[in-house]
Amino acid sequence: MCRRGTTRTSAEAYYQNKLKLALIGQSLFGQEVYTNLRKQGHKVVGVFTVPDKDGKADPLAVVAEKEGTPVFKFPRWRVKGKPIPEVVEAYKAVGAELNVMPFCSQFIPMNVIGFPKHGSIIYHPSVLPRHRGASAINWTLIEGDKKAGFSIFWADDGLDTGPILLQKECPVEPNDTVDTLYNRFLFPEGIKAMVEAVQLIADGKAPKIPQSEEGASYEGIQKKSNAKVNMAQPAEVIHNWIRGHDKVPGAWVVIDGKPVTLYSSSMLSGSLPAGQPIEVEGASHPGLIAKSGLILFGSDGKALQVKNLQFEDRKMIPASKYFSSDEAASLDLTDDEKKMAEEIRAIWKGILSNVPVIDDTTDFFKSGAASMDVVRLVEEVKQKCGGVQLQNEDVYMATSFQSFIQMFVRRLRGEDQEEELVIDYVTKDVNNMTVKMPYQCFINGNFEDAEDGKTYSTVNPTDGSVICKVSYASVADVDRAVSAAKEAFDNGPWGKMNPRDRGRLLYRLADLMEEHQEELATIETIDSGAVYTLALKTHVGMSIQTFRYFAGWCDKIQVCVCVAQRYPSISVCAIVIPWNYPLMMLAWKSAACLAAGNTLVLKPAQVTPLTALKFAELTVKAGIPNGVINIVPGSGGLVGQRMSDHPDIRKLGFTGSTPIGKQIMKSCAVSNLKKVSLELGGKSPLIIFSDCDMDKAVRMGMSSVYFNKGENCIAAGRLFVEESIHDEYIRRVVEEIKKMKTGDPLDRSTDHGPQNHKAHLDKLVEYCELGVKEGATLVYGGRQVDRQGFFMEPTVFTDVEDHMFIAKEESFGPVMVVSKFKDGDVDGVLSRANNTEFGLASGVFTRDINKAMYVSERLEAGTVFVNTYNKTDVAAPFGGFKQSGFGKDLGEEALHEYLRTKAVMVEY
């Protein structure tokens, strides 16, 4: 839309070198190309895509129809090799100047390809002339190419031999799959390149570079019968064959005399794990079923591992569960059990009256069952089948008839003890207990190494020692986690579950956290440096309270009948948490996310991953379905960025610094305009008036700064003390600091533990040095404690002027920054307190209730503490103003961050 006053000349300039386009293709890729071309000012005069499938239009058709673009859905363009006249005439009528073919699966006649003024361009997922043909990405991997990429070329008659317009390349990582290559490079960069190519044509700058025949190759689409693995090859060749056939048609091998399809292959790094031998046809060495999957050996003696197996009946299992799955599948029923199975079949038939035959593969929910039917099924089985005690969630966890019968029989026999989760713990004897810590990525209900095998060290800040090596997640791991979360949301039991049952699982999770609270607090202490007593009460204690609070909300999310207003879940959410309260920040965000019915992928802070991974273990014990919660430790620049960019993530919640928050918000907007909530930096003012309760103001003022070693988002970043009490206040604060015990955070008498990590400690020392250089008075502290570990002295600065760096910027450490203000100058100190770009929290101490209310109303912050500090409650919304972010954690408002409002207006 032109602004009022825009001249005709400028409007013409905007639209010059724009084309009338016909888009011929399909899929989300085609949709994104369409949308971006329209944004660039090109006119799409017609969209030619595939017919609806099962009543559902292709994504390209959906967006085009919504915007009023003519859409044509021809089943075919040719019959017996000849163009269909009416189809060609319908195409020609739109008057396109260029055909753009972003993802085209149909054969287009040459009299359509060559009809427009500028001809046709098409996207191909290989660096032509290599890998001509429809399976180009697959063959890039099968052939072990070190580079992948795509070409945009001038279309020919389907042989992929036309002149090249534009090409782009990317490296192939050792464990890339078709999905990771597509998501990381071929999809996002391909969309940009298609738009770039069209503009080059519009500007008359598009090249036509003839394809060389040197290096040209053509490989056909693989069939299942041709996809069998030749085991008499080096391990890397076998790995390439498996990953190149991933998804379709699937590479297969004969294991224990049965054809089994192999998915998710990676080269094995590190030492060979222990496992149970298994016969693999054609291999020189038996395979191994290990905790990490199926280990296969190449002819060169090197190994690879496969994570998932699929049998001929299409049932897929984790490879690590091969023997246990086989045992379950071969469960023999007694005659009485067979009779009960038939009675249960009759119950299913009575409920699913629309299904002609209840066979082993019949899925309860895909056949149309709802939550009321779950109750009916459970109660009928209890009544007619020997009083076997079932719960509603049992149905959600065994949705096919066969799996339901197996679950029922095992329950009947008393053999339904939960299989122990396979975890390769790191154990430590510490704090008078043995703590067991998972250290791998948690994806789809399993702990597993990062796909590329990379790890990093997490360090105990008390002494600088390495606690353990933790999996360092890659982009591929994030993609797998998102895929698991999306599958769990779209097809798993979580979204179908009655909200009250979902709440019951969250209550159970809170109970398990309470059972393990000492272990969680110990892990939190050694990983983050939190004083143990604080970790027990706040880090862990408030996490438990948060899950219980939101568990209670599950069945209370409103549906307003008067206008049919509903609050549906968002889908897959990403959560990125900081290092200062690792478990509590996880709880604040994930509890609301889960209560709202979403699934999640969570990245803990790189330096404090261990309580998040222990939490993951407890979610399995609580019965949270696979894929609902996924945890991927690693770097923000890699894992966090991929979450921001991922097209299947629809909401991202972040707590951290303002600069990173801005970058995340930008990436989320560019990727898919995902919903964002941000809790960012702070410089919270605390105003202490002369009429305060001095004892309380000293005690709470110190807590406002030194609580959790100052690593506290709402810490008072600057204290304003009324002039008449200033000197006495500082004197008393210093007296109290001298009584504080700095030392081992596991010692119950310790007041002040180590900073979280060395880089942060170094920044705090620099912060204090800068404060001295600027002219502030260093009253106490300001240095690293002379002892092992990352300890910082509690610090006090006075005479801090408004222009100084330490008056404006957050230290995020135990540094009290004090400025005095004139007696009685309420409005003046308010102006100074609000003169900041941050607005997370604030505080005021006074006995005058009128003054307290006047000040609290005018302080520009999301939270105001009056005669207290750090007092948060799970029912009270928490979040900032200005550059401290937006959106709320805790309270009812937090739920709305993880819900969408939909108004359905109904007329009868």
Side-chain angles (χ1 to χ4, degrees):
M1 184 183 293
C2 295
R3 297 186 185 89
R4 189 173 295 173
T6 301
T7 64
R8 186 171 183 270
T9 303
S10 65
E12 286 175 349
Y14 175 76
Y15 284 107
Q16 75 178 21
N17 299 336
K18 303 298 174 185
L19 296 175
K20 291 189 289 184
L21 308 173
L23 252 73
I24 307 175
Q26 64 198 81
S27 82
L28 185 60
F29 187 90
Q31 181 192 79
E32 290 293 318
V33 171
Y34 168 91
T35 301
N36 282 276
L37 286 170
R38 296 252 302 172
K39 285 179 183 175
Q40 293 298 316
H42 298 286
K43 184 175 182 180
V44 180
V45 294
V47 163
F48 299 84
T49 187
V50 293
D52 296 356
K53 185 175 180 180
D54 298 327
K56 187 176 181 181
D58 182 82
L60 173 57
V62 171
V63 69
E65 288 171 339
K66 184 178 180 181
E67 295 185 355
T69 301
V71 176
F72 304 84
K73 302 176 182 179
F74 301 136
R76 62 188 65 83
W77 293 70
R78 306 186 305 182
V79 173
K80 295 182 179 178
K82 294 183 178 180
I84 303 172
E86 54 268 33
V87 169
V88 174
E89 288 307 310
Y91 158 76
K92 289 181 177 180
V94 302
E97 298 172 314
L98 173 69
N99 292 333
V100 179
M101 304 164 71
F103 186 89
C104 184
S105 61
Q106 297 173 313
F107 284 99
I108 311 301
M110 284 304 295
N111 58 343
V112 171
I113 294 291
F115 179 78
K117 171 183 175 182
H118 297 291
S120 303
I121 60 171
I122 187 166
Y123 171 92
H124 184 77
S126 81
V127 183
L128 292 171
R130 188 158 171 78
H131 304 310
R132 294 169 177 164
S135 299
I137 313 176
N138 307 72
W139 285 101
T140 296
L141 295 172
I142 292 169
E143 294 291 328
D145 292 358
K146 300 304 179 186
K147 287 186 178 180
F150 58 81
S151 305
I152 297 169
F153 69 100
W154 300 91
D156 57 7
D157 57 355
L159 299 176
D160 303 336
T161 57
I164 301 296
L165 192 161
L166 185 152
Q167 290 184 320
K168 291 186 183 290
E169 296 180 350
C170 72
V172 178
E173 300 296 335
N175 291 317
D176 263 331
T177 64
V178 171
D179 282 350
T180 61
L181 271 177
Y182 184 71
N183 292 332
R184 184 177 80 244
F185 185 79
L186 300 177
F187 180 88
E189 295 303 320
I191 292 164
K192 294 176 190 175
M194 287 296 283
V195 176
E196 180 185 348
V198 171
Q199 196 59 54
L200 286 171
I201 295 169
D203 294 338
K205 299 178 181 178
K208 290 189 176 182
I209 304 168
Q211 285 194 45
S212 169
E213 285 304 309
E214 184 178 348
S217 61
Y218 175 87
E219 300 94 356
I221 299 173
Q222 278 287 79
K223 297 179 180 178
K224 190 73 174 181
S225 57
N226 297 329
K228 186 177 181 181
V229 181
N230 176 4
M231 293 300 298
Q233 300 180 96
E236 187 174 353
V237 176
I238 296 172
H239 163 57
N240 290 337
W241 184 262
I242 296 170
R243 64 178 176 150
H245 288 84
D246 206 50
K247 308 299 182 197
V248 177
W252 59 280
V253 69
V254 175
I255 296 177
D256 251 0
K258 295 174 289 190
V260 177
T261 306
L262 312 175
Y263 294 105
S264 300
S265 169
S266 60
M267 291 300 294
L268 186 66
S269 58
S271 58
L272 188 67
Q276 188 171 347
I278 189 167
E279 181 186 347
V280 179
E281 185 179 272
S284 58
H285 190 287
L288 291 174
I289 298 296
K291 290 180 180 179
S292 57
L294 168 63
I295 310 299
L296 297 174
F297 297 89
S299 59
D300 56 356
K302 295 182 180 179
L304 62 142
Q305 63 182 12
V306 175
K307 290 186 177 171
N308 297 310
L309 306 176
Q310 188 175 47
F311 300 103
E312 285 187 290
D313 62 2
R314 304 199 61 76
K315 179 183 179 182
M316 185 177 286
I317 64 163
S320 60
K321 304 290 180 68
Y322 179 85
F323 288 113
S324 57
S325 173
D326 188 59
E327 181 183 321
S330 62
L331 189 66
D332 290 324
L333 306 188
T334 66
D335 289 342
D336 287 342
E337 289 166 349
K338 288 177 181 177
K339 289 178 182 177
M340 286 190 181
E342 290 309 309
E343 289 185 23
I344 293 173
R345 194 187 301 274
I347 294 171
W348 276 55
K349 179 60 181 171
I351 297 171
L352 306 176
S353 56
N354 58 310
V355 178
V357 177
I358 305 296
D359 60 26
D360 287 351
T361 63
T362 302
D363 187 281
F364 195 66
F365 294 103
K366 290 179 181 177
S367 300
S371 58
M372 188 61 213
D373 299 314
V374 173
V375 177
R376 176 179 166 184
L377 175 59
V378 168
E379 294 305 315
E380 280 201 62
V381 170
K382 284 181 184 178
Q383 183 182 53
K384 296 180 180 179
C385 298
V388 174
Q389 294 302 305
L390 299 179
Q391 303 294 330
N392 290 355
E393 51 261 40
D394 291 329
V395 183
Y396 295 110
M397 300 302 288
T399 60
S400 73
F401 182 74
Q402 182 186 40
S403 62
F404 186 87
I405 292 299
Q406 290 187 359
M407 177 274 296
F408 171 82
V409 171
R410 292 188 181 280
R411 183 72 52 85
L412 185 68
R413 295 177 181 179
E415 297 174 357
D416 62 331
Q417 294 302 312
E418 196 173 285
E419 183 181 349
E420 187 176 352
L421 179 65
V422 177
I423 306 177
D424 190 11
Y425 292 110
V426 169
T427 60
K428 282 196 177 293
D429 293 324
V430 61
N431 199 23
N432 298 316
M433 69 180 75
T434 300
V435 294
K436 298 165 67 177
M437 297 173 286
Y439 62 88
Q440 297 165 294
C441 300
F442 181 73
I443 300 174
N444 203 25
N446 294 298
F447 286 100
E448 50 193 58
D449 292 336
E451 191 160 293
D452 57 12
K454 289 183 179 179
T455 62
Y456 70 95
S457 299
T458 187
V459 172
N460 184 340
T462 302
D463 57 13
S465 64
V466 172
I467 302 170
C468 65
K469 296 281 189 180
V470 177
S471 290
Y472 189 81
S474 66
V475 168
D477 296 308
V478 177
D479 291 345
R480 288 190 299 113
V482 173
S483 178
K486 190 173 189 303
E487 175 66 19
F489 183 85
D490 291 342
N491 301 312
W494 191 248
K496 307 179 184 80
M497 195 175 289
N498 183 298
R500 190 161 290 128
D501 293 330
R502 192 162 61 237
R504 186 180 298 118
L505 291 178
L506 293 183
Y507 276 123
R508 187 183 299 166
L509 176 58
D511 290 343
L512 282 165
M513 292 171 70
E514 188 167 50
E515 286 177 29
H516 290 263
Q517 61 182 331
E518 288 86 2
E519 187 177 19
L520 286 166
T522 301
I523 296 171
E524 191 92 327
T525 296
I526 64 174
D527 204 25
S528 78
V531 171
Y532 176 76
T533 51
L534 178 66
L536 191 62
K537 179 181 184 297
T538 301
H539 290 233
V540 179
M542 194 174 190
S543 300
I544 296 165
Q545 293 172 17
T546 302
F547 270 98
R548 286 192 175 133
Y549 173 81
F550 284 107
W553 268 110
C554 286
D555 59 354
K556 301 173 184 68
I557 296 172
Q558 298 175 5
V559 177
C560 181
V561 179
C562 57
V563 291
Q565 188 183 56
R566 299 176 184 274
Y567 299 93
S569 308
I570 289 174
S571 179
V572 180
C573 299
I575 293 174
V576 180
I577 56 174
W579 44 257
N580 58 328
Y581 293 103
L583 186 64
M584 193 172 79
M585 292 296 99
L586 175 154
W588 280 23
K589 285 178 164 52
S590 62
C593 173
L594 295 168
N598 301 290
T599 58
L600 68 89
V601 179
L602 182 141
K603 190 197 92 65
Q606 185 171 344
V607 291
T608 54
L610 296 181
T611 44
L613 295 171
K614 187 68 180 180
F615 166 83
E617 176 191 347
L618 300 181
T619 67
V620 177
K621 292 181 178 179
I624 306 292
N626 290 351
V628 172
I629 297 170
N630 305 272
I631 297 180
V632 278
S635 75
L638 191 72
V639 174
Q641 187 63 50
R642 179 55 182 156
M643 289 177 168
S644 302
D645 294 337
H646 204 292
D648 287 335
I649 292 175
R650 294 295 173 182
K651 159 70 199 281
L652 191 147
F654 170 77
T655 294
S657 72
T658 297
I660 299 300
K662 289 178 178 179
Q663 177 60 42
I664 283 175
M665 191 172 177
K666 179 180 178 181
S667 298
C668 288
V670 170
S671 60
N672 61 350
L673 210 64
K674 56 175 63 71
K675 190 175 182 179
V676 181
S677 58
L678 304 171
E679 194 242 289
L680 307 176
K683 189 65 177 174
S684 302
L686 173 57
I687 303 172
I688 301 175
F689 289 100
S690 58
D691 59 357
C692 68
D693 177 333
M694 181 64 84
D695 290 340
K696 194 172 188 180
V698 169
R699 185 176 70 255
M700 300 304 297
M702 291 181 66
S703 175
S704 75
V705 176
Y706 304 128
F707 188 83
N708 201 48
K709 311 114 56 181
E711 295 168 354
N712 188 19
C713 52
I714 57 173
R718 193 175 178 197
L719 277 67
F720 295 92
V721 182
E722 202 159 9
E723 196 167 37
S724 59
I725 64 166
H726 175 273
D727 292 350
E728 181 190 357
Y729 186 84
I730 298 300
R731 178 183 61 78
R732 293 184 58 173
V733 164
V734 172
E735 284 179 359
E736 293 304 314
I737 289 176
K738 291 177 178 178
K739 299 175 186 176
M740 291 171 62
K741 179 180 177 180
T742 298
D744 183 355
L746 289 171
D747 184 333
R748 306 309 193 259
S749 63
T750 294
D751 299 299
H752 188 71
Q755 306 308 137
N756 187 275
H757 51 282
K758 187 168 190 309
H760 181 52
L761 171 64
D762 293 342
K763 286 182 180 178
L764 287 173
V765 172
E766 290 176 12
Y767 183 94
C768 293
E769 290 172 348
L770 184 56
V772 172
K773 287 179 183 177
E774 287 186 308
T777 301
L778 179 60
V779 176
Y780 194 90
R783 296 167 301 181
Q784 179 177 354
V785 178
D786 185 16
R787 61 168 292 161
Q788 189 180 30
F790 310 142
F791 291 83
M792 178 76 185
E793 293 178 335
T795 299
V796 179
F797 277 102
T798 60
D799 303 319
V800 178
E801 299 179 11
D802 294 356
H803 64 84
M804 293 179 179
F805 178 85
I806 64 172
K808 296 179 178 180
E809 296 297 325
E810 181 180 30
S811 72
F812 212 65
V815 183
M816 182 179 283
V817 176
V818 185
S819 301
K820 65 176 69 171
F821 66 96
K822 292 181 180 179
D823 290 351
D825 188 11
V826 177
D827 289 329
V829 74
L830 269 171
S831 177
R832 294 172 71 190
N834 287 330
N835 186 25
T836 173
E837 276 300 300
F838 300 108
L840 188 57
S842 59
V844 55
F845 279 81
T846 176
R847 285 190 172 98
D848 185 338
I849 188 62
N850 292 321
K851 187 191 296 181
M853 296 311 297
Y854 179 86
V855 170
S856 63
E857 287 173 7
R858 287 160 178 77
L859 282 169
E860 297 170 358
T863 298
V864 182
F865 299 107
V866 178
N867 292 329
T868 187
Y869 211 89
N870 288 324
K871 189 175 180 62
T872 53
D873 189 279
V874 292
F878 180 92
F881 298 166
K882 299 189 283 189
Q883 291 197 45
S884 288
F886 52 83
K888 298 294 182 182
D889 291 322
L890 304 181
E892 181 180 359
E893 285 194 44
L895 288 167
H896 296 290
E897 302 296 331
Y898 297 95
L899 293 165
R900 297 174 294 178
T901 302
K902 177 190 288 186
V904 182
M905 313 304 291
V906 181
E907 183 175 324
Y908 295 96

